[in-house]
């Protein structure tokens, strides 16, 4: 078992640095040890949500068995323990993404909520009618719709940086779209639908040269690649625990301290105040100003266990292992006549979107499911991106570090069966 106690290095058991013991890792994920439709489960829907190691499940259970209480307000022992455990995770997240301060880490519900928070606070503080917000064709609906809503509310205009046929943002076009009215760039770090890793540092540098702030949607980046927000110099970075082997219902917004500190609150309620009277309210300090109401305490604690687990495996090693899986999947699938991979960027995370000639992606997904193979089919919450490729849907296999080359081969066999069934 990969044990993960980041605060006591002597209990940390790492697999040999050169090898990647995927079977040992798989044993840490109880859900993977099952059959589906009589076949061993092959879970390839990690871009939608990842599975949880036992350490995460245990951390949540332990919290409810031993420490459950509301946080920040109680003087009693359980509340003190729960508060300490919750705040410890904030420091883990800070270190995980290389932020300067714990105050820069805001716990929310999801990436989606983080983007909405920035749209409704930063957006409303700076946007005037006719101002522009610049996104890209690659975006997930979560990084489109909040900006469209802001545009409707303020009279701002949404601009979209185009991509090439490989699914890469065309940097020259992006740069041309940055104008005197651009108030924010909001771009994904990794595309959920195609796997493209965007040149995010360059995108940020270009925007900063024009003094434009940048929000990065990091939902699909943090599970696959080390992220250092200080090195990137992004202004905001959003991601979700559940894509990072942690529980659902927890998201993170990183924001530079001075920037976050200058923003108005997002939601009102308990926790985000210092004092309230009927004459007025004084808001709390960062990060609590943005954390109205009782948060997902157990979820955050489980998320801390996920970060410990990933750190124990090692993010660099995860990235290297997944590169091999991606290469194998790309070669194997593209060798099947009738299969076309959508998204062929030079820099990709372990996501393979594909279409099978003459077969609807939903049928591909249904037949694969009968074989115990879970893939995603549909528009992947990126309808404008699908439209760019003249498609309404693809099938998508998205890999995590617990997936194996054998599972890639099982997927390829499954696709061959799909083609046989449809008389290809
Ligand atoms: N952005 C990207 C790139 C995503 O893949 C997702 C989830 N599919 C989101 C944002 C939204 O994440 P959540 O549903 O956790 O808010």
């Amino acid at each position: 078992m990969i044990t993960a106690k980041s605060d006591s290095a002597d209990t940390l058991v790492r697999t040999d640095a050169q090898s990647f013991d995927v079977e040992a890792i798989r044993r840490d994920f109880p859900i993977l040890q099952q059959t589906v439709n009589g076949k061993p489960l092959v879970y390839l829907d990690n871009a939608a949500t990842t599975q949880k190691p036992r350490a995460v499940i245990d951390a949540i259970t332990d919290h409810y068995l031993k420490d459950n209480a509301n946080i920040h307000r109680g003087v009693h022992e359980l509340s003190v323990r729960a508060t300490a455990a919750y705040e410890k995770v904030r420091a883990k997240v800070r270190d995980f993404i290389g932020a300067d301060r714990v105050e820069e880490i805001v716990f929310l519900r999801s990436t989606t909520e983080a983007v909405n928070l920035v749209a409704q606070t930063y957006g409303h503080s700076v946007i005037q009618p006719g101002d522009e917000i610049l996104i890209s064709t690659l975006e997930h609906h979560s990084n489109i719709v909040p900006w469209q809503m802001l545009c409707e509310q303020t009279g701002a205009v949404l601009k979209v940086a185009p991509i090439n046929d490989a699914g890469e943002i065309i940097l020259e076009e992006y740069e041309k779209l940055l104008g005197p009215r651009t108030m924010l760039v909001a771009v994904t770090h990794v595309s959920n639908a195609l796997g493209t890793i965007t040149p995010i540092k360059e995108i940020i540098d270009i925007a900063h040269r024009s003094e434009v702030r940048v929000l990065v949607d990091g939902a699909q980046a943090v599970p696959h690649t080390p992220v250092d927000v200080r090195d990137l110099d992004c202004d905001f970075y959003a991601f979700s625990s559940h894509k990072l082997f942690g529980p659902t219902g927890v998201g993170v917004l990183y924001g530079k301290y001075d920037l976050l500190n200058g923003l108005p609150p997002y939601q009102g309620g308990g926790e985000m105040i210092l004092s309230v009277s009927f004459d007025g309210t004084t808001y709390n300090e960062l990060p609590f100003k943005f954390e109205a109401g009782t948060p997902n305490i157990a979820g955050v604690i489980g998320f801390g266990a996920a970060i410990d687990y990933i750190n124990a495996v090692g993010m660099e090693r995860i990235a290297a292992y997944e590169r091999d899986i991606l290469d194998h999947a790309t070669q194997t699938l593209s060798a099947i006549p009738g299969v076309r991979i959508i998204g062929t960027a030079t820099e990709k995370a372990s996501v393979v979107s594909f279409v099978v000639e003459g077969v609807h992606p939903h049928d591909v997904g249904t037949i694969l499911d009968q074989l115990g193979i879970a893939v995603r089919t549909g528009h992947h919450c990126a309808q404008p991106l699908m439209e760019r490729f003249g498609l309404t849907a693809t099938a998508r296999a998205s890999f995590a570090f617990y997936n194996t080359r054998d599972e890639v081969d099982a997927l390829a066999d499954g696709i061959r069966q799909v083609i046989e069934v449809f008389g290809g």
Side-chain angles (χ1 to χ4, degrees), residues 6-24:
S6 64
D7 48 350
S8 56
D10 51 330
T11 62
L12 228 172
V13 179
R14 285 173 192 268
T15 50
D16 168 27
Q18 297 312 312
S19 69
F20 194 87
D21 189 351
V22 69
E23 289 309 325

Side-chain angles (χ1 to χ4, degrees), residues 125-306:
S125 346
V126 301
I127 300 283
Q128 302 293 325
D131 283 345
E132 293 168 6
I133 295 153
L134 177 52
I135 62 170
S136 86
T137 309
L138 286 177
E139 303 314 312
H140 186 280
H141 294 165
S142 304
N143 200 28
I144 301 174
V145 184
W147 307 116
Q148 287 176 327
M149 290 165 65
L150 180 67
C151 288
E152 271 171 29
Q153 292 158 357
T154 60
V157 181
L158 193 65
K159 297 278 179 175
V160 184
I163 57 170
N164 61 23
D165 291 341
E168 297 162 320
I169 295 174
I170 306 169
L171 278 183
E172 308 78 65
E173 299 294 325
Y174 157 71
E175 196 159 3
K176 275 191 224 151
L177 284 165
L178 262 173
R181 301 298 308 259
T182 313
M183 299 308 283
L184 186 77
V185 167
V187 173
T188 195
H189 193 168
V190 170
S191 154
N192 66 308
L194 307 184
T196 311
I197 302 176
T198 61
I200 198 67
K201 201 167 153 63
E202 222 174 324
I203 288 171
I204 294 165
D205 283 349
I206 293 169
H208 282 178
R209 266 183 251 141
S210 303
E211 293 180 9
V212 176
R213 301 274 191 193
V214 182
L215 174 140
V216 180
D217 173 354
Q220 296 293 343
V222 283
H224 301 295
T225 177
V227 170
D228 184 329
V229 290
R230 238 175 322 182
D231 177 55
L232 291 178
D233 196 30
C234 52
D235 300 288
F236 301 105
Y237 197 97
F239 60 103
S240 297
S241 148
H242 73 99
K243 311 239 189 223
L244 195 54
F245 314 97
T248 52
V250 175
V252 172
L253 173 66
Y254 157 82
K256 285 180 178 163
Y257 182 86
D258 289 340
L259 184 54
L260 280 184
N261 209 25
L263 296 182
Y266 174 49
Q267 293 178 332
E271 197 75 358
M272 52 76 72
I273 51 89
L274 282 179
S275 70
V276 178
S277 79
F278 287 121
D279 296 325
T281 287
T282 318
Y283 303 127
N284 207 338
E285 294 158 356
L286 287 179
F288 311 111
K289 181 169 89 176
F290 294 114
E291 294 182 5
T294 301
N296 186 347
I297 302 164
V300 166
I301 289 166
F303 183 34

